[in-house]
Amino acid sequence: MTRRVVAQGTFDILHPGHVHYLEEAAAMGEELHVIVARESNIDHKADPIVPEEQRREMVAALKPVHDARLGHPEDIFVPIEEIEPAVIALGYDQHHDVAAIEAALAERGIDCAVERAGARESRASDELLSTGQIIDRILDERDAESD
């Protein structure tokens, strides 16, 4: 049986940190399935800039990704049940509580490991490794141009 890995996230304005996360997640198995968060399910940070279907399309185009789909509108575990992964790979800085995820998986009878990817080290002092940093840089640059 193919060892499937699930990674999930918002993936708003793709950057090297996203690529690193997905490469590490892909290395945990043979197929990487990515669940892209729906706008309606994002409540822990600002709304995404990029529409959800466009975010899904961009993630699907990345080399390590076997399949990318939007998350379920009401129940985040529905895609997990459909994919039947061996591993759920979390990003190093994602807000998820591993123990809570493991408990929810056990309650639903889903047998898979939960692992965290490592952080990507900056390769240059001006490298932008988060969507927030990219947005801040754009706003700063546009503000400086208007002065």
Side-chain angles (χ1 to χ4, degrees):
M1 185 171 162
T2 302
R3 183 174 164 87
R4 293 187 192 110
V5 178
V6 165
Q8 57 75 43
T10 305
F11 303 102
D12 191 25
I13 308 178
L14 290 177
H15 55 75
H18 289 131
V19 175
H20 174 78
Y21 165 43
L22 296 177
E23 287 173 342
E24 283 208 355
M28 296 176 190
E30 297 163 329
E31 284 183 6
L32 176 60
H33 295 255
V34 180
I35 301 169
V36 177
R38 290 185 178 269
E39 291 168 16
S40 60
N41 292 342
I42 300 168
D43 59 8
H44 62 285
K45 58 183 173 182
D47 290 341
I49 303 296
V50 178
E52 58 191 30
E53 178 54 33
Q54 184 177 337
R55 291 183 283 118
R56 188 213 59 79
E57 183 179 343
M58 294 301 295
V59 168
L62 297 174
K63 186 177 181 178
V65 178
H66 176 79
D67 180 57
R69 65 175 77 188
L70 291 173
H72 190 274
E74 288 101 35
D75 185 344
I76 62 169
F77 289 98
V78 166
I80 302 294
E81 291 171 331
E82 293 170 354
I83 297 166
E84 298 179 336
V87 178
I88 295 175
L90 302 177
Y92 88 97
D93 65 346
Q94 287 180 326
H95 70 284
H96 303 294
D97 178 331
V98 172
I101 292 172
E102 290 171 338
L105 291 168
E107 185 176 304
R108 293 178 82 119
I110 301 170
D111 181 25
C112 71
V114 179
E115 299 179 20
R116 274 209 190 269
R120 182 184 186 279
E121 297 301 320
S122 229
R123 297 182 185 155
S125 62
D126 63 344
E127 187 171 47
L128 302 173
L129 296 177
S130 79
T131 298
Q133 289 175 337
I134 294 169
I135 292 169
D136 289 346
R137 174 77 58 85
I138 291 168
L139 293 174
D140 289 347
E141 293 288 327
R142 295 301 179 259
D143 188 43
E145 287 175 7
S146 67
D147 288 344

